[in-house]
Amino acid sequence: MSECPHFDHLLVIPRLRVQNANAISSPQTHGFPSMTAFLGAMWALERRTHEAGMDIQFNAVGVVCHAHQEQSSPGQYRNDAGAFHQTRNPIERDGSVAGIVQEGRIHLDLTLIFAVQGNALDAATDRGQLLAKQVRGHLDVMRIAGGSVVPANVSAHRQMPYVVALSGDEKGRNAKFQSAKLRWLPGSALVARDDLIAQRHQQLQTENSGSSRLDAWLSLSRINWHGDTAPGESKDAERRTVGWTHDRKGAGWIVPIPVGYGALSDVLDADMVANARDAETPFCFVESLYSMGEWLGAHRLQSPQQMLWYADSQPENGLYRCRNDYAPPAQYDFD
Amino acid sequence: MANESLKTASVLAFERKLDPSDALFFAGAWSERGASANWKPIVINEKSVRGTISNRLKAGQQDPAKLDAAIENPNLQTVDVAALPADADTLKISFTLRVLGGTGSPSACNGADYRLKLLATVKSYVDANGFGELARRYARNLANGRFLWRNRIGTEAAEVRIAHLVDGAAKSEWTFDALALPLRGFDTPTDAKIAAGLTELATLIGEGLAGKQHVLLRITAFARIGAGQEVFPSQELILDRSRGDKSKTLYQVNGIAGIHSQKLGNAIRTIDTWYQESDENGPIAVEPYGSVTTQGKAYRQPRGTKDDFYTLLDGWVLKDKTPEIDQQHFVIATLIRGGVFGEAG
Amino acid sequence: MNLSHYLDIKLLPDPEFSAILLLEALYAKFHRALVTQHSDQIGVSFPQYRLKPRTLGNTVRLHGSEQDLLALDATNWLTGMRDHIHLSPISPVPESTKFQVFKRRQFKTNADRLRRRRMARKGETYEQAVSAIPSSVEREPDLPYLNLRSHSTGQRFCLFVELGNRTDRPTEGIFNCYGLSQNATVPWF
């Protein structure tokens, strides 16, 4: 199992407003862009800064979301996803309305936290500040998850990017992180909860030995209501109604998320597949991989690793996924 | 040199180079434009309107209680509305516009030779013309307040203030009387002061497009339309509305009425006066087929007028048939607009 | 009364706004100008008025004395519309024209609304109100109209415009604040 690559600094870009980002993160999920989009943005940023002569290596990315507004109208029922608002597209040349390929868009207020290292950052602290500002300048003209970076409606001071040097031993690093994270409130960070799938899978198997991990994922993706004992079985003779409970209480803000791609084909040489995006990059057909995530209040993070996402590519296994090393606090079962 | 084997890339996409934010609505008094930072946001309200005529009761509805309910509640529809409050006569809308360099450089292109030829073609245009003519027109569409759309029609007065933002602060600022700049044409105004302001703004936009400097503008427009008058935010396009859903949903950002960034972009690129019926119809937004949604019409036809983007671009890039200068402006403006232009699918 | 002069306001074709939307905006301004001026001496005609297909056309013709038309123009009531119109100069009306009435018609477009009013007024039941006001009173008028917003109540309403008598001789009278009249004619040419 891989783990988060080493880094010495956190480069923080606070309070970015991203307009019309892609809200459909996979064929099965919506509500926030996929973490793969943020890893992609990180690599694009690394290429740009490298071209500009900055010696910074970007190793992982964390996302704190302060506010989000999905461009959709609620449906008629609770938990009905409703309908995405579409954009009016230009008509066809014969005057007819162009077929609409449905899109889902979302506006986001984000703080991006990059785990970085490099000689440029090891110099004096004010140099770090300058570098952070340059990086922010590059991000401003990029797309993030397909959305545009627009000026946020917060003071210039609060948008100022900065570098947190995580020097010293583990304890010292974490102390620095503890004070840094308070600046990201109010906000929530996405962490991986792969563990929940195994847990729910085990649970489902006690009821039905044929249950799969997909069943577990689907079960976690919805709210399951259960009726308690029927009136006839109740000790309380007066009671004539069934009580209903659901399985989300105390579970936290749990969401189904895509975590990368699984290969459906061999990796094909560049220029072998017609209509690929470019003729220089090898090509592989893939499908989305799914797991569970949890939105965690930034103040509850114990270490930077808990919120950072990094790439874990295993081409030999056909796996291109992103990972996060969050481990839920141990729960002791005294039964 | 024409290259017989050169083909249009099957995947060819460009990012937009004029990237506006959404515009938000505020209300205040015309005389207090100078201190508009504290103006109140305009919120959207729901209103029930009676459907017209078709609210006859069905024959089966004989239960008196139901009848009463039906009479109290005849065919009600819910719609969104937005208006100035009774104590404010002026609408303020504000947004930012980012001007990006790199016109002609595709964000996706799978033909290496085509890409080189395309870049060379755009370079030849820029070397000969710069972005002067296009920037002049974009500047005009900011100064004339075209982006106010319906809120500009019939307004008693309109003013546009444009600030060049550097590190969050205004480095320079211009103020225009929007109604003094007609929407129909792009002639240089006779008033020397207005003309000078427009030229400065155009120069800045041109430098942004050329990638010489990073340009971020903040545009604030004031329209005095009268206290209590209705204002017009963007309307949402919602497919498959179910029965009982709201029949008109207006755009809001965190509760504040707004205009979609796409609609602002459309106003800013309404610079195409180079199509055949423009004398009669006025400028239209730059679109590959010169299409105008509201008229259900495309003015640039590959078979008819042969002045659509694809015909012109293929001629220019693949066959070295350099279009007339006006059509060159149109092609470059379409690249600035951005979009997916490949031949696949 | 003197309708010796006229001027034409022609709406320019616009890629973004329909002629009717622009006409409604123009008419809202015209109405406000007449109210502010307290004028009952300016009449309108719609030279392209048609019933099939029903339309008021894209031209509004204002009729009045040269002095009244100049006074109206001096109020700058067209501010904000000038990008969407072509304005003719104020000219004398040609000799030997016909004369035409342009009047407002109000319709009972909603029987239930009338029934509810009657129930409230007379304390009748719904059934009684229905027998007094059958659904057949509802008219779906086929006249051209403008959808306007009332200045006093803020409610939207339809202003239906009907052609009255066409005559060889003018009938004098006053015009309402929409430039229409039940009996007064305007020169028709």
Side-chain angles (χ1 to χ4, degrees), chain B residues 50 53 55-57 71 149 152-156 179 182-184 228 230 263 280-281 283 292 294-295, chain C residues 12-17 21-22 25 29 32 79-81 83-84 109 112 116 126-127 135 138 149 156:
Chain B
R50 232 178 271 289
I53 300 169
N55 50 8
R56 296 192 187 101
L57 296 173
I71 296 160
W149 289 113
R152 191 185 186 277
I153 295 179
T155 183
E156 293 157 30
L179 297 185
L183 298 179
R184 283 260 152 182
E230 189 173 4
K263 195 69 189 157
E280 173 78 352
N281 200 44
V292 178
T294 43
Q295 293 178 325
Chain C
L12 297 173
D14 191 288
E16 204 56 39
F17 302 110
L21 189 146
L22 293 173
K29 299 217 82 169
R32 235 180 294 171
T79 307
M81 288 306 303
D83 280 322
H84 306 285
T109 55
D112 262 336
R116 279 192 306 277
Y126 184 73
E127 285 73 13
S135 294
E138 278 187 8
R149 191 164 175 266
R156 294 209 151 266

Side-chain angles (χ1 to χ4, degrees), chain A residues 69 87 93 107 148 275, chain B residues 10 19 237 251-252 262 301:
Chain A
Q69 189 188 7
T87 53
R93 61 183 186 230
H107 299 341
S148 300
N275 302 331
Chain B
S10 65
D19 202 8
L237 176 58
Y251 183 48
Q252 48 185 312
Q262 305 91 289
Q301 292 284 347

